[in-house]
Amino acid sequence: MTLQLALTLDPESRLPLALQIRDSLRKLMEDGTLWPGTRIPSSRQLAVDIGVSRSVVVEAYEQLVAEGYLRTRHGSGTTVAEHAGTPDSASRLIPPDPEPAPEAMWDLRTGTSNVVDFPRQEWIRCMTAVVADASRQELGYSPPAGVPQTRRVLTGYLGRVRGVRSRPEDVMVTAGFAQGLALICRVLLDRGHTTLAVEDPGHPGEREFVTSSGLKVVGIPVDGDGLRVDLLERSRVRAVLLTPANQFPTGVRLAAERRERLIAWAREVGGYIIEDDFDSAFLHRSDRLPALQSLAPDRVVYAGSASKTLAPALRLGWLAAPSELMASVEYVRAGWDIGCSGLEQLAFARFIDTGALDRHQRQLRTELHRRRQTVRRQVEACLPGARLTGGDSGLQAYVELPAHIDEKALLRAARRRSVLTRGGAFYTLTDTTRRPALVLSYATVTCAGLNQSLPALGEAYREAGG
Amino acid sequence: MTLQLALTLDPESRLPLALQIRDSLRKLMEDGTLWPGTRIPSSRQLAVDIGVSRSVVVEAYEQLVAEGYLRTRHGSGTTVAEHAGTPDSASRLIPPDPEPAPEAMWDLRTGTSNVVDFPRQEWIRCMTAVVADASRQELGYSPPAGVPQTRRVLTGYLGRVRGVRSRPEDVMVTAGFAQGLALICRVLLDRGHTTLAVEDPGHPGEREFVTSSGLKVVGIPVDGDGLRVDLLERSRVRAVLLTPANQFPTGVRLAAERRERLIAWAREVGGYIIEDDFDSAFLHRSDRLPALQSLAPDRVVYAGSASKTLAPALRLGWLAAPSELMASVEYVRAGWDIGCSGLEQLAFARFIDTGALDRHQRQLRTELHRRRQTVRRQVEACLPGARLTGGDSGLQAYVELPAHIDEKALLRAARRRSVLTRGGAFYTLTDTTRRPALVLSYATVTCAGLNQSLPALGEAYREAGG
């Protein structure tokens, strides 16, 4: 079947093609030209018709599907959604875009996960086995804190892989990291905390999420050895949220003596350390240290999720907390919901138990390491005077720039070359001493893509005086 | 492989066999006789060894698995859990047991779902298709309120099946009914409400859940025409939670003129009606009226879940709310989590779209109607003077008893005959005018089971003076 579609693209436009296609289609749907239920051409067909690469059309369609304009159905193609263009509320934990409607050939912004490599077949195998075998109890209600089997498997796994010292009853399965953080914030508030220290620079969405819980965030500067514990000590705050294994976004590791000092601080003030171990699966062996939690299970709340290694859509996260704190967390949780999907929890337990998670992470780790080395090489070659901080791990590179570079001008110049990225300022809370920087996420861009986009970024860098 | 296990049962004990087996095994694990990791005999083997029916052993094992003592693995049998007997926190929305350790041959207590008929193959088919086809966006983050596709399908479905008048942007996918209720309570509190009216009798777990949110519950008596709206009018409360289609637990339907009057009340006081439509899938055609929401989409929050028709483990629920209220609900939600599993939401949308949900519900409806007729016949035959209230729908029968019957004595007598059930008092808040009653859930007991257990209940009834 060959469907036709009259689509006009402006040859003068400097907008990326995918964005132009998306906007044109959206307009046709909004003014009623494309009626709900109408079937539109396949991405392959449209690409041929308007003479662009198919991936560009795929990107435009996917965006329109996500926005609720289009609908794809296996076997019946792509149709205009019944209620095209329904606005959806965004979340504070999905980083906001600094400028509206950003769409470009290369998206090096942080906040996305590599879902292209989601192990579909392996996940289907685990889910199928679980649904086929689930006992009557497993199909019924589980404790809000999680399915017992999953909590046990997670406890064993976190101990084996990250040295986490915990018991299943002190491990909770949460709806992603977000819910874990929300629960901890609520408990801290209930215990009289009014502030929470965070890393500066750090995750802006996380800061907003914490603020919306009612806690005030206090930024603590980060240097080459991680969080400045000396400044934390002077802050009068009694709880801190940090990424000690691989600081986000700088990629530095909290130095051994700072780990000790941080724990001493927590004991001294009777406070808590929230260890966000979000990308520990991607720690290169040269960067690997056991979780901070292993040094002080009585003071550290360990938090992780499957969003980076599997897919955000699973909404699977976990907390390991000191027993006395976990009791409060469970109490709060029981007033919010009565747990996450039991079948998905069981499938995840099986995914761990069969070794599929270890295998998958090893593959991703190798690939990400290759990408990081590519970024390192390209930054050296194309951005003279720039310097990549941190070790060999993670999902993004923090690139420090010479002091005279204007971050904003550089980002604009990059955008004109179809490279979307963010500057250090986006992640900075109050620390005014930091040099300009770029944060380049390679979570969703392959080595080939990096070898194309970073030279383009280099051109922008030269234009911005680099 | 034939494993042996030394298990002593007390021939004098009046405890049900499954309970005796469970307790004996638990003791062996707790005193260290059965060491973590130890494999134990199959249920078949143990049943033969101790000379009981296999289903009794299965029941004991399943309970121990749920409690975290035992571990079952496909292909490697049943083993003692590493941390046998981990206590798990219960939720307020899972009704508490009036007496500890209830375990009997027949469990007629409300609160369970028929998961035996969970359509495993159909669910696996939908989940497999979804995981195989999911787009990059679908594997990533979705709006906290739900995957757009699922919200659209749900909107269409609720309109078709229950007459709900809504738009996808005013429909939210929640982690079960519990989360929806928790969100609404939070929003009501934020808007200055301090009280919420509930039905008396009603769901005690729901009342406790509401109370723990910070709202005070105000009981409004229910009669043969449903909630006494005249008493609600005098209560000065501005929001009410009720089950108009099939009142829980009495099974009566809110009369047409009361529906009108209730909506007039909500408009008058500028208040809200929360319509808990939890078992509407099981409305017999003689009892079917469109959802209350269809009469006043501006005043009614419609809430439902898949817990009764599919399985509680899915944790899938939904809200349809007036736009202005939904904005507040979304705001609160974004501070709690960023949504439920996207893959499960998509599988559910597919389950609806392919007609599998309609098929499954029709089957269950037919079966439940047969069970209700069986209960009606047996009550007439075995409980002279007792009367079943309400219509032909639902998951439980409310049986009004002659005034002289002592509910507690009757429950104890039934328990001695291995029939677990609850009396009207368990569901009553403050209404002291109600006659004694029994509430018999047939959600998990087949007609054959009802034909065995209700005559036993009849004996208990005679013993209690009936």
Side-chain angles (χ1 to χ4, degrees), chain B residues 14-54:
Chain B
R14 284 190 314 194
L15 283 174
L17 274 171
L19 179 56
Q20 290 186 50
I21 296 170
R22 185 195 65 176
D23 289 353
S24 308
L25 278 170
R26 194 150 58 183
K27 199 168 156 294
L28 287 176
M29 291 184 273
E30 279 170 353
D31 71 22
T33 310
L34 283 177
W35 200 249
T38 310
R39 199 164 153 197
I40 64 167
S42 69
S43 53
R44 193 181 308 272
Q45 184 64 50
L46 187 61
V48 171
D49 288 350
I50 61 179
V52 301
S53 117
R54 185 176 167 218

Side-chain angles (χ1 to χ4, degrees), chain A residues 96 161 204 220 270 285 444:
Chain A
V161 172
I220 306 291
R285 59 181 170 283
T444 62

